[in-house]
């Protein structure tokens, strides 16, 4: 069947001109991903991360999700809305399969563009299987077209889901290619599990190609395996993702058999470092199982400390050891049914002695200081963390970094953590000198403040956070914040004024607040303005 015949169906639809179709003239996401893989065809290039429908999909939206996030965040629509979506989508699918007309395809496509599949896709697939709609060959052809031909993410996801219900092994390559973008990995993983009798190797292969939510979705659904190569990969690479290592640490520790790996005396540095990352993530805890659920937790901590004791020489080592120390110091044995961790006092004292002995080594200050000039954000974050653990005064470091890049908001956050009554005046004078406050004070609006266009507003944010401790210092910054379109700027400026009290305002502040009452677009902010004018403390 030709593509035009397939799209337009049997009859009655050729009066619709192609340019009026919702998918007309745009690049298919499948082709886009295919054209933006690296030389090995394994992972997306940086350019390939931004989908061709990004601008259209995010237009007018205050909240923009990173790839794959929306489908992993639990959100519930009213039951009536959910049932309506389920009924409508299934009805359209059945209409498309039976009548093969363009009108049904357009209606379904326009519904799918909203990308709200998490509200109905599982239930729709259940109805398709229950009613044996999946056995119609046309449904499979339609699913392939959605997956390979759609320029919009919602229809692509639905196409992958339909392939999981109506497809076979021949469709796995289509599904896997789409899954190499984190936005679609969840749907690809579920589809392959539905199609394949033993999907482990395909899931593993896909997990190596993604780094964010896609990797979390793939690794979470990998069944336990005795394959030593897979177990080794889980421990060295499987847990590591750019969302939170805590999501996968427990699964990789258990399915990768961290206990056995740490039982070796000749562990290589890569595996030892990965073990430290997993232990740290387990202790930090998060949205999934953590160290309290891990019955081998104390054993792996003990083995890690004995193996790292003679090798500890990096910032990462220090952080892991400090996290272990803090955990051991605060941990108390409790009789809880869900708690599998038992730590005897004698062993605790011994392990604490090891951690403190490593931390007390004088070399750490020099190691940290050697990294002060790094421009790598993640590396400096760790350096800064260790410097604070060691009690180092970071003012001079923060000041140098801020002067190099005064429009990087994180540097204002850092410098404001080191202020005192003398330093705050230096910071305020510098802010007035370098920050274009006229670009901030453009009038109140309902802006969240994300994106490059609001970077100055975010710099001001971090100054205002701590300004309330210093009465009358930085009044011009507060006035700019009051007139900012970013809601958080205005709220922080109001909090500063509240903390200062009216006696520390200048004559203009009250007039500004009264003026703002007439133009403030948000009722909750108006309420705070009135409270501040009445000299009432803000909660």
């Amino acid at each position: 069947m030709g593509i035009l015949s397939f799209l337009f169906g049997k009859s009655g639809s050729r009066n619709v001109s192609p340019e009026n179709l919702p998918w007309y003239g745009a690049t298919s996401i499948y082709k886009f991903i295919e054209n933006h893989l690296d030389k090995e065809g394994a992972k997306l290039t940086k350019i390939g991360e931004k989908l061709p429908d990004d601008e259209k999909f995010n237009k007018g939206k205050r909240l923009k999700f990173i790839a794959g996030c929306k489908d992993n965040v639990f959100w519930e629509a009213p039951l009536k809305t959910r049932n309506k979506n389920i009924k409508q989508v299934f009805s359209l699918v059945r209409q498309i399969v039976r009548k093969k007309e363009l009108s049904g395809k357009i209606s379904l496509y326009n519904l799918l563009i909203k990308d709200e599949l998490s509200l109905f896709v599982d239930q729709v697939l259940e109805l398709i299987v229950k009613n044996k709609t999946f056995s119609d060959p046309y449904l499979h052809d339609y699913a392939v077209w959605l997956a390979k031909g759609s320029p919009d993410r919602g229809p692509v996801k639905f196409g992958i889901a339909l392939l999981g219900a109506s497809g076979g092994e021949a469709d796995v390559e289509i599904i896997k290619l789409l899954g190499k973008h984190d936005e679609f990995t969840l749907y690809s993983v579920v589809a392959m599990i539905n199609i394949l009798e033993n999907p482990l190797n395909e899931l593993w292969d896909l997990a190596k190609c993604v780094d964010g939510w896609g990797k979390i979705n793939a690794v979470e659904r990998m069944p336990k395996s005795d394959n030593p190569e897979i177990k080794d990969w889980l421990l060295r690479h499987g847990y590591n993702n750019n969302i939170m290592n805590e999501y996968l640490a427990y699964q990789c520790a258990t399915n990768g058999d961290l206990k056995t790996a740490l039982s070796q005396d000749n562990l290589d540095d890569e595996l030892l470092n990965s073990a430290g990352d997993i232990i740290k993530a387990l202790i930090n805890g998060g949205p999934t199982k953590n160290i309290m659920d891990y019955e081998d937790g104390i054993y792996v901590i003990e083995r890690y400390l004995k193996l790292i004791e003679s090798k500890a020489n990096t910032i990462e080592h220090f952080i892991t050891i400090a996290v272990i120390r803090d955990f051991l110091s605060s941990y108390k044995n409790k009789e809880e049914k869900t708690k599998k961790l038992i730590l005897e006092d004698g062993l605790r004292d011994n392990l604490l002695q090891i951690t403190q002995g490593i931390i007390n080594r004088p070399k750490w200050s020099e190691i940290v200081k050697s990294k002060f000039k790094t421009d790598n954000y993640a590396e400096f974050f760790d350096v800064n963390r260790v410097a604070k653990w060691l009690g180092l005064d970071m003012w001079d470091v923060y000041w140098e970094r801020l002067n190099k890049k005064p429009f990087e908001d994180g540097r204002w956050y850092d410098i404001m953590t080191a202020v005192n009554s003398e330093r705050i005046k230096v910071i305020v004078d510098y802010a007035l000198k370098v920050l274009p406050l006229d670009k901030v004070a453009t009038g109140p609006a309902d802006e969240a403040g994300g994106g490059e266009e609001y970077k100055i507003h975010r710099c001001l944010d971090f100054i205002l956070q701590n300004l309330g401790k210093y009465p009358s210092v930085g009044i011009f910054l507060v006035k700019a914040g009051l007139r900012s379109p970013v809601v958080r700027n205005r709220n922080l400026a109001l909090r500063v004024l509240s903390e200062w009290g009216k006696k520390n305002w200048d004559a203009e502040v009250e007039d500004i607040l009264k003026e703002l009452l007439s133009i403030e677009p948000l009722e909750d902010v108006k309420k705070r303005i009135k409270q501040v004018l009445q000299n009432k403390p803000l909660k």
Side-chain angles (χ1 to χ4, degrees):
M1 179 184 293
I3 188 67
L4 289 178
S5 299
F6 175 77
L7 286 176
F8 282 89
K10 290 181 177 179
S11 61
S13 297
R14 289 196 176 273
N15 57 341
V16 180
S17 58
E19 60 268 19
N20 290 326
L21 298 172
W23 53 80
Y24 175 76
T27 303
S28 83
I29 284 176
Y30 180 90
K31 184 61 68 174
F32 176 83
I33 293 174
E34 186 178 47
N35 290 339
H36 288 87
L37 295 174
D38 59 22
K39 292 180 181 178
E40 291 74 32
K43 303 186 81 167
L44 275 176
T45 61
K46 190 70 178 175
I47 297 174
E49 293 175 8
K50 185 176 181 180
L51 290 170
D53 72 332
D54 266 11
E55 189 173 338
K56 180 174 76 170
F57 181 74
N58 289 311
K59 187 176 181 180
K61 293 179 181 175
R62 291 184 61 194
L63 184 60
K64 298 175 184 178
F65 292 96
I66 63 171
C69 180
K70 185 178 180 182
D71 293 302
N72 283 277
V73 176
F74 179 81
W75 60 295
E76 189 94 41
L79 184 61
K80 186 176 180 181
T81 303
R82 288 172 63 87
N83 289 339
K84 180 182 176 182
N85 282 332
I86 294 164
K87 184 177 180 181
Q88 187 177 8
V89 173
F90 176 65
S91 176
L92 285 168
V93 170
R94 190 161 51 179
Q95 176 189 333
I96 290 166
V97 170
R98 288 177 177 175
K99 297 184 179 180
K100 303 174 177 56
E101 290 180 350
L102 182 60
S103 58
K105 296 170 189 175
I106 293 173
S107 296
L108 180 58
Y109 196 94
N110 284 330
L111 194 154
L112 295 173
I113 282 178
K114 298 175 184 177
D115 191 32
E116 296 177 348
L117 273 74
S118 57
L119 297 179
F120 57 77
V121 67
D122 290 338
Q123 294 84 350
V124 169
L125 291 178
E126 287 175 10
L127 288 172
I128 286 172
V129 172
K130 182 179 178 181
N131 288 270
K132 298 184 178 179
T133 312
F134 69 91
S135 60
D136 192 307
Y138 192 84
L139 181 66
H140 174 261
D141 293 342
Y142 180 62
V144 170
W145 179 82
L146 282 174
K148 293 189 70 175
S150 303
D152 297 285
R153 65 194 66 195
V156 171
K157 291 175 184 177
F158 195 61
I160 297 170
L162 288 179
L163 284 177
S166 64
E169 291 189 23
D171 299 304
V172 168
E173 286 307 310
I174 298 173
I175 293 168
K176 273 180 66 177
L177 185 138
L178 288 165
K180 290 179 180 182
H181 194 294
D182 286 272
E183 185 69 20
F184 307 105
T185 318
L186 172 61
Y187 292 87
S188 295
V189 165
V190 174
M192 289 193 293
I193 290 173
N194 289 338
I195 290 172
L196 300 172
E197 187 176 342
N198 182 10
L200 174 61
N201 286 330
E202 298 293 354
L203 296 179
W204 181 32
D205 193 37
L206 185 54
K208 297 175 193 174
C209 299
V210 281
D211 298 305
W213 281 109
K215 187 171 187 179
I216 293 170
N217 294 141
V219 174
E220 274 183 341
R221 290 164 177 79
M222 283 174 60
K224 195 168 184 177
S225 170
D226 292 327
N227 183 331
E229 193 178 351
I230 292 178
K231 291 166 74 172
D232 185 66
W233 180 85
L234 288 172
L235 295 180
R236 292 178 188 270
H237 309 290
Y239 68 93
N240 190 23
N241 65 86
N242 58 25
I243 306 299
M244 279 178 70
N245 287 350
E246 287 76 6
Y247 272 104
L248 298 173
Y250 179 84
Q251 180 165 349
C252 289
T254 52
N255 289 4
D257 196 1
L258 182 59
K259 179 182 179 181
T260 298
L262 286 174
S263 299
Q264 307 171 55
D265 289 323
N266 58 341
L267 219 62
D268 63 86
D269 289 346
E270 182 189 57
L271 186 52
L272 183 58
N273 291 338
S274 297
D277 286 344
I278 292 172
I279 291 169
K280 181 172 58 180
L282 286 168
I283 291 173
N284 288 339
T288 59
K289 291 183 177 180
N290 56 44
I291 194 73
M292 296 301 182
D293 307 291
Y294 185 32
E295 58 187 354
D296 296 321
I298 294 301
Y299 176 84
V300 301
I301 287 174
E302 182 181 11
R303 284 294 301 164
Y304 173 78
L305 288 175
K306 288 181 178 178
L307 291 167
I308 201 68
E309 189 173 11
S310 63
K311 294 185 174 185
N313 59 5
T314 68
I315 297 292
E316 292 77 13
H317 291 156
F318 184 101
I319 292 174
T320 302
I321 292 159
V323 167
I324 292 173
R325 178 199 61 182
D326 293 349
F327 167 71
L328 294 172
S329 299
S330 63
Y331 181 76
K332 294 179 181 178
N333 290 319
K334 295 179 182 178
E335 292 185 6
E336 296 178 11
K337 291 180 180 179
T338 58
K339 201 179 248 188
K340 297 182 178 180
L341 218 60
I342 301 296
L343 178 57
E344 302 299 334
D345 289 341
L347 179 57
R348 182 213 309 271
D349 293 342
N350 183 39
L351 297 179
L352 278 171
Q353 189 175 1
I354 295 173
T355 60
Q356 201 59 51
I358 298 172
I359 287 170
N360 288 343
R361 292 171 185 170
K363 67 179 180 180
W364 292 116
S365 290
E366 292 307 311
I367 291 174
V368 170
K369 289 175 182 177
S370 71
K371 302 286 186 180
F372 278 170
K373 293 187 182 296
T374 178
D375 264 338
N376 182 287
Y377 175 82
E379 184 177 28
F380 186 77
F381 181 87
D382 287 342
V383 168
N384 195 23
R385 190 177 179 190
V386 174
K388 289 181 178 179
W389 258 316
L390 294 174
L392 301 179
D393 185 352
M394 295 291 285
W395 169 262
D396 290 336
V397 178
Y398 295 156
W399 182 246
E400 183 179 345
R401 285 171 55 81
L402 182 62
N403 275 267
K404 284 183 177 178
K405 294 185 179 180
F407 301 134
E408 192 170 295
D409 55 346
R411 301 194 179 201
W412 287 98
Y413 170 82
D414 288 336
I415 199 77
M416 289 301 292
T417 65
V419 296
N420 55 33
S421 56
E422 293 181 2
R423 291 171 174 175
I424 189 63
K425 296 173 184 176
V426 176
I427 291 299
V428 166
D429 287 345
Y430 185 66
L432 291 171
K433 177 183 174 183
V434 300
L435 296 182
L437 296 179
D438 57 319
K439 293 183 178 179
V440 173
T442 56
D446 187 13
E447 295 294 342
E452 183 68 14
E453 66 268 35
Y454 293 110
K455 62 181 181 180
I456 306 301
H457 302 72
R458 293 193 295 275
C459 293
L460 180 60
D461 242 12
F462 289 128
I463 304 171
L464 293 174
Q465 276 185 7
N466 285 346
L467 210 53
K469 302 174 186 176
Y470 308 101
S472 301
V473 179
I475 187 64
F476 291 107
L477 298 174
V478 176
K479 290 175 182 178
L482 290 172
R483 294 186 171 104
S484 170
V486 175
V487 180
R488 182 172 165 80
N489 277 170
R490 302 201 298 282
N491 280 329
L492 285 172
L494 289 169
R495 193 176 76 182
V496 172
L497 293 175
S498 175
E499 291 174 355
W500 284 359
K502 272 191 172 184
K503 62 182 179 180
N504 293 301
W505 300 357
D506 68 17
E508 189 184 17
V509 169
E510 190 162 349
D511 291 336
I512 293 173
L513 291 174
K514 289 176 180 178
E515 176 192 348
L516 289 174
L517 269 178
S518 63
I519 57 175
E520 171 57 52
L522 301 178
E523 286 302 319
D524 59 335
V525 180
K526 276 188 179 182
K527 183 178 179 182
R528 293 189 187 97
I529 294 173
K530 291 176 182 177
Q531 288 177 303
V532 172
L533 279 168
Q534 295 166 4
N535 216 24
K536 292 180 179 179
L538 294 179
K539 294 182 180 179

